[in-house]
Amino acid sequence: MVLSKYNPFVLLLILYTRSSGFTTNIQPKLKKASQCSKNMPGENTWTRADGSWRTVSPDMASEDLRKFLIANEKWSPSQLKESFKLYEKFVSCQDSYVAPLITDALCHLDHALRIYGPRSVVCSYNGGKDAVVIFHLLRAAIAHYHYKKVKTNPQVKLERPRVIYFDHKDEFPDILELLRDSVCKYDLDMIAFEEGTSFSDGLKLLIDHNVVPGTEHAIPTSFVLGTRSSDPNAGDQGYFAPSSLYMPAFMRVNPILKWNYGHVWHFLRLFKLPYCTLYDQGYTSLGTKKDTFPCPALAVAGSSNGIDVPRFWPAYMLQDWDLERAGRKKKNKQKSLPPPLPRNDSQKSLETNMSTITDLGASERRNIQVPMSIVNASPTSEEGTINTVGGDSFISDGVRRTVGLLIIGDEILKGLTADVNTQAAAKELRTQNVPLTKVAVVSDCPDSIVNEIKRLQREVDVVITSGGVGPTHDDVTIKSVAKALNKQMVLHEGMAKLLQEKMGKSVRKNNATLTQAQTKMATLPSNAKLRYISGDTNDWPTLQCHNIFILPGVPQFFAKNMKDLAKFLSTQLERSATYKVVLSVDEASIVSILNDAVEHHPNVNFGSYPFIGRPDFQTVLTLEGRIVDDDIAIGNSLTKEEMDQNVKRALDDLIHELENNEGGSVLRVDNDDGLFF
């Protein structure tokens, strides 16, 4: 037999079955998760041919505990093969939105496996969306690791991927169902710590008993976590981060550190990976049953038993990703909520009771109990503020947005130049009834700028910067904005072309060149947009990055830009919510669905944009409310609330039809209103 003639994975299976004693033809077919759950044993600890679940108690005898934790069976050939195929899908992904992040994550996991080995690379699998992402990335990476090892050592033990979970008395049953299904479906080695075990104690048990079998020689341990840089506890962690001093010694591996909410859902939907059903019921961040509710930002009008109560869109429909944790009850914080939204008499009668919420988008309709205080509260971010300008609406839910001004320049702090820009900004914003609530002055130090931007973003809704923009060495504002927003600096084609036109360079398709200074000015954060807020494309555009507007520090230029920007922010009062829905199907397949939506929602502007040859998506739909109702006299404009309601109704119908007829076609709702990615 000439092994080189075989497919690489066929070689892996041949060597594997020889070394393990397994034969592939007697292995049961991989069960679906639903089949597994029906056959689950009732005990807390069980071992099967398709996975093991071992519940650990700190009270177990040390020797028994060691044997218990060291034990791990060989991974079934069917799941090894399936996971390796998933790895191949990941590395061959051409989706420009997530492919670089997948490659980056797999690279860090490969390093972790190379250094620690699969036995000591343990996945923290609590059933949340981020945990689901890292779990599938890790099982794919482990399969790839086994493939490389078995080529050089056919006798190597190909162990099951190890995952850990801490039980909680208020855990959602839906989470436990996903975890048990995963253990069975993917043939995992689950170590579950019984209720009441602290994270520190549980991890210490694993670390202390992670030894070479038959010896006392400890093996260093690493834990793969779903931490993202936007998480409240992320701090300044890197991809590899040693545990905190108060914790047992281990290495944290954070493969999705640079991912955002949209990346997570795009990844899960693109590869059709199973996730907890609660996310289809409007939950966007999962804690326990006592502190987690559907995200208020996903609520849409509905009724149950004749009572008007909200329904909720699935989690992947969230437009403002800053509201990811809006459904989580804040711990140890007493924050006043905004006035409740108007309710009819039926709703008022439920003031102190629980309202019945019917979910939207789940495979089966089911009832969710949600406190009225959550239903009526305006969505808030983790810090308690609402940030929607990234979308780019300045006013939402009738709440006036606030502005913070950041003046940048050593010359101001040293008294070499008078700060006239603060007065100019305050005057123009006051004229337009836009509240300026914070002003800060910092030096040209990048770290100071980054820290101040982050502080302002916690306190205001829009940040305006003045100064530090240009081609010289001390013009560091734009780089600092990129760092504060966790964005890469890239060459902005629109800015490059504009610089060539404005500065007398002829624009040629193939050999157009920029000077060094122009290249620096054209290198912007990856989410940068050029705003012609004056309405005149002959004017120099204002640079916007999410909710940050970057203005020049030269007083005459700043004053002109500030006047236009103040008007722009004030006009956002009359703009409806705008949604951009990214689809995996081509435009031709949704023509009838889109035509029906247009016909039934005349007060909503629909846009449909096909993208030919894109591997990541094929169609983008946009929805925005019309300010004038076609059924009323011209001149009587709709309120923003009325426009938003029209858009939500239209989007509700559209998504319902898309999911019924083109299941899984919605990849995400983007929070960047730029059409071209």
Side-chain angles (χ1 to χ4, degrees):
M1 178 173 62
V2 181
L3 295 180
S4 61
K5 291 183 179 179
Y6 285 80
N7 176 281
F9 200 85
V10 174
L11 169 62
L12 173 61
L13 286 181
I14 292 173
L15 295 174
Y16 178 83
T17 53
R18 285 182 175 179
S19 64
S20 64
F22 281 103
T23 55
T24 56
N25 61 350
I26 66 170
Q27 289 301 310
K29 291 183 179 179
L30 183 64
K31 299 181 182 70
K32 294 183 178 179
S34 58
Q35 294 173 319
C36 292
S37 61
K38 291 177 182 177
N39 296 322
M40 283 295 168
E43 295 82 3
N44 289 333
T45 297
W46 46 267
T47 300
R48 310 161 44 92
D50 51 5
S52 68
W53 182 295
R54 288 175 284 162
T55 300
V56 176
S57 168
D59 299 329
M60 295 175 65
S62 178
E63 190 60 31
D64 293 338
L65 185 61
R66 175 159 299 183
K67 293 178 181 178
F68 196 65
L69 293 175
I70 290 177
N72 193 1
E73 299 296 325
K74 296 175 181 177
W75 207 1
S76 71
S78 59
Q79 265 313 296
L80 187 58
K81 180 178 180 180
E82 193 276 337
S83 295
F84 186 76
K85 286 183 176 179
L86 183 64
Y87 181 87
E88 291 181 318
K89 288 182 181 178
F90 287 161
V91 296
S92 62
C93 177
Q94 298 297 311
D95 185 317
S96 62
Y97 187 67
V98 293
L101 293 168
I102 293 173
T103 300
D104 194 46
L106 289 175
C107 176
H108 293 298
L109 290 173
D110 286 343
H111 283 312
L113 292 167
R114 177 178 61 86
I115 296 169
Y116 296 96
R119 169 188 288 274
S120 300
V121 178
V122 184
C123 180
S124 176
Y125 190 34
N126 62 8
K129 59 186 182 299
D130 300 322
V132 172
V133 171
I134 62 167
F135 159 65
H136 287 289
L137 288 168
L138 180 59
R139 74 178 176 94
I142 290 177
H144 177 245
Y145 175 89
H146 284 334
Y147 165 69
K148 292 190 298 182
K149 284 295 182 182
V150 82
K151 286 199 301 184
T152 58
N153 180 12
Q155 302 303 317
V156 67
K157 183 179 180 181
L158 308 179
E159 294 182 337
R160 291 166 165 167
R162 174 166 286 188
V163 295
I164 60 170
Y165 164 71
F166 288 81
D167 197 9
H168 194 283
K169 63 185 179 70
D170 295 316
E171 184 64 274
F172 285 100
D174 313 65
I175 288 287
L176 291 173
E177 181 181 2
L178 173 69
L179 297 180
R180 290 191 169 120
D181 287 351
S182 298
V183 170
C184 176
K185 182 175 182 179
Y186 302 112
D187 188 26
L188 307 177
D189 179 44
M190 166 65 84
I191 302 296
F193 293 95
E194 70 176 13
E195 184 182 306
T197 306
S198 71
F199 289 104
S200 179
D201 290 344
L203 296 181
K204 189 175 189 304
L205 285 175
L206 271 179
I207 293 166
D208 289 348
H209 294 283
N210 187 30
V211 298
V212 176
T215 74
E216 294 296 321
H217 180 64
I219 305 173
T221 307
S222 66
F223 293 95
V224 181
L225 308 174
T227 302
R228 291 184 277 124
S229 57
S230 60
D231 292 345
N233 63 340
D236 58 354
Q237 290 185 47
Y239 289 110
F240 290 85
S243 58
S244 302
L245 293 176
Y246 63 87
M247 295 287 286
F250 63 88
M251 182 62 72
R252 292 175 288 195
V253 183
N254 302 313
I256 62 170
L257 190 65
K258 300 302 181 184
W259 294 40
N260 61 34
Y261 185 89
H263 293 135
V264 168
W265 281 111
H266 192 106
F267 174 83
L268 294 174
R269 304 277 294 173
L270 180 67
F271 291 101
K272 302 186 185 303
L273 299 171
Y275 51 82
C276 181
T277 55
L278 291 172
Y279 289 115
D280 283 333
Q281 300 161 25
Y283 292 81
T284 52
S285 178
L286 297 180
T288 68
K289 290 186 293 184
K290 288 189 174 181
D291 64 12
T292 309
F293 307 98
C295 180
L298 292 174
V300 291
S303 64
S304 178
N305 299 324
I307 299 176
D308 292 334
V309 291
R311 291 178 295 117
F312 293 89
W313 285 330
Y316 55 82
M317 292 296 299
L318 184 65
Q319 180 191 34
D320 187 347
W321 302 338
D322 290 331
L323 302 181
E324 176 182 354
R325 295 175 182 81
R328 297 284 291 273
K329 184 184 294 183
K330 305 300 184 295
K331 296 180 180 180
N332 302 323
K333 291 182 180 180
Q334 298 295 325
K335 289 185 180 294
S336 59
L337 292 173
L341 300 176
R343 303 187 299 281
N344 59 30
D345 292 338
S346 298
Q347 287 173 294
K348 291 177 181 178
S349 68
L350 296 178
E351 176 71 32
T352 59
N353 298 319
M354 305 291 280
S355 67
T356 301
I357 311 298
T358 305
D359 75 284
L360 175 71
S363 57
E364 296 181 356
R365 298 283 176 177
R366 55 183 292 188
N367 292 329
I368 309 170
Q369 298 298 319
V370 181
M372 288 303 296
S373 61
I374 296 295
V375 172
N376 293 316
S378 297
T380 60
S381 70
E382 190 69 20
E383 293 78 18
T385 60
I386 307 174
N387 300 307
T388 56
V389 178
D392 287 278
S393 177
F394 183 61
I395 300 294
S396 178
D397 302 327
V399 180
R400 285 205 311 169
R401 296 291 175 250
T402 58
V403 173
L405 176 63
L406 179 58
I407 304 293
I408 299 165
D410 291 337
E411 67 279 6
I412 301 294
L413 292 173
K414 294 177 180 178
L416 301 176
T417 304
D419 173 22
V420 296
N421 289 346
T422 296
Q423 182 183 17
K427 178 181 178 181
E428 296 297 343
L429 290 169
R430 182 172 180 272
T431 300
Q432 298 297 332
N433 198 31
V434 177
L436 174 65
T437 60
K438 296 282 182 180
V439 177
V441 183
V442 297
S443 69
D444 293 317
C445 171
D447 288 342
S448 298
I449 299 172
V450 170
N451 292 335
E452 195 60 40
I453 288 174
K454 290 182 176 180
R455 185 182 70 83
L456 285 172
Q457 286 198 306
R458 292 193 296 268
E459 299 178 2
V460 299
D461 302 290
V462 178
V463 178
I464 300 172
T465 71
S466 165
V469 179
T472 60
H473 71 282
D474 59 346
D475 293 319
V476 294
T477 298
I478 293 176
K479 283 186 178 180
S480 301
V481 169
K483 185 175 180 180
L485 296 178
N486 287 317
K487 297 296 182 181
Q488 298 293 320
M489 292 287 288
V490 298
L491 186 67
H492 192 287
E493 293 183 4
M495 178 61 85
K497 183 177 180 180
L498 180 65
L499 288 169
Q500 290 170 323
E501 292 174 345
K502 294 285 188 181
M503 298 183 178
K505 290 275 187 181
S506 61
V507 181
R508 299 182 295 275
K509 289 185 178 180
N510 298 323
N511 60 349
T513 58
L514 293 172
T515 66
Q516 183 177 3
Q518 290 171 338
T519 300
K520 180 182 178 182
M521 293 177 67
T523 303
L524 305 175
S526 58
N527 65 336
K529 290 179 284 189
L530 304 182
R531 291 285 197 186
Y532 290 91
I533 54 179
S534 68
D536 187 351
T537 56
N538 291 319
D539 285 346
W540 194 268
T542 297
L543 180 62
Q544 179 185 356
C545 300
H546 189 49
N547 65 332
I548 302 173
F549 293 86
I550 302 171
L551 273 57
V554 179
Q556 56 267 40
F557 295 145
F558 178 87
K560 170 63 170 62
N561 279 263
M562 194 64 244
K563 184 175 183 178
D564 295 332
L565 180 57
K567 290 179 181 178
F568 170 77
L569 293 176
S570 67
T571 59
Q572 295 295 290
L573 284 164
E574 297 181 344
R575 181 180 175 183
S576 78
T578 302
Y579 291 88
K580 184 177 71 173
V581 185
V582 183
L583 304 179
S584 62
V585 295
D586 62 81
E587 186 183 45
S589 66
I590 61 167
V591 169
S592 60
I593 296 174
L594 188 57
N595 286 342
D596 287 343
V598 172
E599 180 180 353
H600 288 96
H601 300 278
N603 295 318
V604 175
N605 290 318
F606 291 82
S608 179
Y609 305 90
F611 288 81
I612 309 300
R614 292 293 298 253
D616 42 351
F617 61 90
Q618 297 191 50
T619 309
V620 172
L621 302 179
T622 60
L623 292 82
E624 185 172 10
R626 292 180 178 174
I627 196 168
V628 176
D629 191 327
D630 291 341
D631 296 331
I632 63 178
I634 299 296
N636 296 327
S637 62
L638 300 175
T639 65
K640 184 184 187 312
E641 182 180 1
E642 290 170 331
M643 289 190 291
D644 287 350
Q645 289 176 350
N646 288 338
V647 174
K648 278 202 167 186
R649 291 191 191 101
L651 185 58
D652 189 21
D653 289 348
L654 182 62
I655 295 303
H656 183 71
E657 291 301 316
L658 284 171
E659 291 300 289
N660 283 344
N661 295 278
E662 298 288 341
S665 64
V666 179
L667 294 174
R668 68 182 188 277
V669 174
D670 212 293
N671 72 347
D672 182 354
D673 69 352
L675 179 60
F676 300 99
F677 293 69

